[in-house]
Amino acid sequence: MINVATLLNEDDTKHEESLKKKTMALSIAEGSVGVFSNVLAENYIIPFSLSINSSPFQVGLLVSVGNLISPLGQMIGSLQIEKRARKSVLIRGIIGQASMWSLFIMIALFFQLNMFNQLLSWMLMIVYLVFMLFSGVMTPPWFSFMGDVVPETIRGRYFAKRNLITQLIAIIGTISLSFLLDFLDINNVIFLGFIIIFIFGLSTRLISLFLFNSHYYPPYKFETKDHVKTSQFLKELSKSNFGKFTLLVSLLTFGQWIAKPFYSVYMLNTLKFDYPIFVLINLASTLIGLFFFPLIGRYSDKFGNVNLLRIGALIIPFISFLWIIFNTPLQIILGIQVLSGIGWTSFNLAASNFIYDNIPSKKRGKYIALYNLLIGIAITLGGLLGSTIVTYVDIVGINAYYLVFFISGIVRIIAVVSLIPKIKEVRVLTKPILNVKDHSIYKWLYDITLRNNHRKKKIK
């Protein structure tokens, strides 16, 4: 006898799976459009800030504090999804971020009209900080519901595919806009180019708002037992697997941001690169990463995220040192950005999937907010330290930018050597890529790069 209830349940399951597949496709379309909002802000806010006569200290403060505000926004977003629907929180964040693009346009117009010139740098900073606040609010609901939509077995491949498509589109669009900006700069109307870019950022964010409305948001009921206390999270930092992972990423990020705000200033003010070259260099690592997305996505699903994390972490510390050696566009692209594309693409994809694997669905929002809050603090402290060195440290015969690049590399090495061997895989049986005996003299280096320090039984 046919069980009607079973058939209904099967129909509901098939319908939900269909909605999830549709949402996965829509997410790629949305990301292809919405990525411009963040990419344009990342690539053009610093040149725009310099164009309105911001000092190097203000530029460093703009970027570093902005990356602290975003995690604070995530804290707000994580608290909101405990009380409101994830879709509602996400949509509000998008609307808020879209409205900031209008204010970027207003600041450019003020400069053209010679109004409030002494205040514009600080006005830009305030608007950018609010922009980053709304960007943060959007993260917990998006991260939470996408974790429920994408099946665990294909996360590596799916997010690699999504990143491949969205980043490729972002590169094409950003390069096109950079040539427009350079053409207008030659004709002494560069601020028209910034206005066009900001209008484009506003338009793409509004399109993504429409696409997010068409997503499927799986049922989500938050319960009191799922609430994560900040004190509990902090106590676990030195003990739990996820805590050690958070410390690794935070320390690595601190080292990275000692130097990162000044790569752009160094290229524009010291090396005197024009805008197309500047943007091409910034996008080169992303372009290199595109070729590796399919490979590392499959690698992640097959061998686990920790192995991939270690490969990226082995490369990252040496990138900063190369900025001291290389100073031509070709050297920077082929020497620095190729390694950066491979290292950071591997590390970031592995880190993102590692979070999904280690954190239960209903706790993801708060965990990702606290995780990113610590990273935001690391970014801010790193940026402030770098700004202080560039502004106030004057050692005869040593370029201040070279000094921050060197210190950045040293901190990254400390992070990798001290913490990478302690991170364990939790999802799959990772297969060793090299056959190294337990008592081999190469074991220490192998533990840092590819091998787990424990033996896991295969999860059936």
Side-chain angles (χ1 to χ4, degrees), residues 48 103-112 191 194-195 198:
F48 179 61
L103 298 183
F104 289 140
I105 297 170
M106 182 186 70
I107 292 172
L109 291 173
F110 280 159
F111 189 84
Q112 282 290 86
F191 276 86
F194 282 121
I195 291 172
F198 296 157

Side-chain angles (χ1 to χ4, degrees), residues 191-253:
F191 276 86
L192 176 60
F194 282 121
I195 291 172
I196 292 173
I197 287 171
F198 296 157
I199 290 174
F200 189 63
L202 171 62
S203 301
T204 53
R205 182 45 82 199
L206 292 176
I207 294 172
S208 75
L209 173 63
F210 170 78
L211 292 172
F212 268 123
N213 268 319
S214 302
H215 280 35
Y216 167 66
Y217 297 82
Y220 178 84
K221 184 178 180 181
F222 187 85
E223 300 177 8
T224 305
K225 65 181 178 65
D226 297 316
H227 178 72
V228 178
K229 294 182 179 180
T230 303
S231 58
Q232 175 189 350
F233 177 84
L234 295 176
K235 288 179 181 178
E236 294 175 354
L237 282 179
S238 62
K239 301 176 183 178
S240 69
N241 194 41
F242 186 78
K244 294 172 185 175
F245 163 77
T246 301
L247 288 177
L248 165 69
V249 180
S250 299
L251 185 56
L252 200 59
T253 302

Side-chain angles (χ1 to χ4, degrees), residues 28-305:
I28 293 176
E30 182 281 322
S32 302
V33 178
V35 70
F36 280 107
S37 185
N38 292 328
V39 168
L40 294 181
E42 179 179 344
N43 286 325
Y44 292 106
I45 286 299
I46 290 179
F48 179 61
S49 180
L50 293 172
S51 296
I52 61 175
N53 302 320
S54 298
S55 67
F57 180 79
Q58 287 175 316
V59 171
L61 201 61
L62 171 76
V63 179
S64 59
V65 176
N67 284 281
L68 176 60
I69 293 297
S70 179
L72 292 177
Q74 291 182 34
M75 292 294 292
I76 295 173
S78 68
L79 292 174
Q80 288 183 342
I81 63 175
E82 294 181 4
K83 303 174 182 178
R84 299 187 179 94
R86 291 180 291 188
K87 179 179 180 180
S88 173
V89 177
L90 180 62
I91 295 300
R92 291 183 183 186
I94 295 172
I95 293 173
Q97 192 182 63
S99 65
M100 292 302 103
W101 283 107
S102 300
L103 298 183
F104 289 140
I105 297 170
M106 182 186 70
I107 292 172
L109 291 173
F110 280 159
F111 189 84
Q112 282 290 86
L113 297 173
N114 201 30
M115 297 172 61
F116 312 112
N117 282 357
Q118 300 299 318
L119 300 175
L120 288 183
S121 293
W122 299 109
M123 290 172 61
L124 175 64
M125 184 175 296
I126 292 171
V127 173
Y128 183 71
L129 293 183
V130 177
F131 177 91
M132 295 302 293
L133 182 72
F134 282 119
S135 178
V137 170
M138 294 160 50
T139 301
W142 185 87
F143 204 90
S144 176
F145 92 84
M146 285 300 293
D148 293 340
V149 167
V150 183
E152 176 184 305
T153 54
I154 63 168
R155 277 183 191 146
R157 282 166 286 173
Y158 172 76
F159 284 111
K161 176 182 177 181
R162 185 180 187 275
N163 290 341
L164 170 64
I165 295 172
T166 58
Q167 293 300 320
L168 181 61
I169 292 173
I171 287 173
I172 295 172
T174 307
I175 290 177
S176 301
L177 289 172
S178 71
F179 279 104
L180 171 65
L181 196 63
D182 193 59
F183 172 78
L184 295 174
D185 186 25
I186 294 174
N187 291 278
N188 297 318
V189 286
I190 189 172
F191 276 86
L192 176 60
F194 282 121
I195 291 172
I196 292 173
I197 287 171
F198 296 157
I199 290 174
F200 189 63
L202 171 62
S203 301
T204 53
R205 182 45 82 199
L206 292 176
I207 294 172
S208 75
L209 173 63
F210 170 78
L211 292 172
F212 268 123
N213 268 319
S214 302
H215 280 35
Y216 167 66
Y217 297 82
Y220 178 84
K221 184 178 180 181
F222 187 85
E223 300 177 8
T224 305
K225 65 181 178 65
D226 297 316
H227 178 72
V228 178
K229 294 182 179 180
T230 303
S231 58
Q232 175 189 350
F233 177 84
L234 295 176
K235 288 179 181 178
E236 294 175 354
L237 282 179
S238 62
K239 301 176 183 178
S240 69
N241 194 41
F242 186 78
K244 294 172 185 175
F245 163 77
T246 301
L247 288 177
L248 165 69
V249 180
S250 299
L251 185 56
L252 200 59
T253 302
F254 170 72
Q256 176 194 13
W257 277 83
I258 292 173
K260 185 172 181 178
F262 304 101
Y263 295 140
S264 296
V265 180
Y266 174 67
M267 285 188 285
L268 291 172
N269 289 351
T270 301
L271 300 181
K272 304 296 182 182
F273 293 162
D274 57 26
Y275 284 115
I277 292 296
F278 167 76
V279 174
L280 181 61
I281 288 174
N282 279 343
L283 293 177
S285 63
T286 305
L287 185 62
I288 296 298
L290 294 180
F291 292 99
F292 287 90
F293 271 129
L295 174 64
I296 64 176
R298 292 187 179 92
Y299 183 95
S300 173
D301 288 335
K302 184 175 182 180
F303 294 103
N305 295 307

Side-chain angles (χ1 to χ4, degrees), residues 55 57 384-395 400 403-404:
S55 67
F57 180 79
L384 289 174
L385 177 58
S387 297
T388 301
I389 293 171
V390 167
T391 306
Y392 299 109
V393 176
D394 185 12
I395 302 176
L403 183 59
V404 297

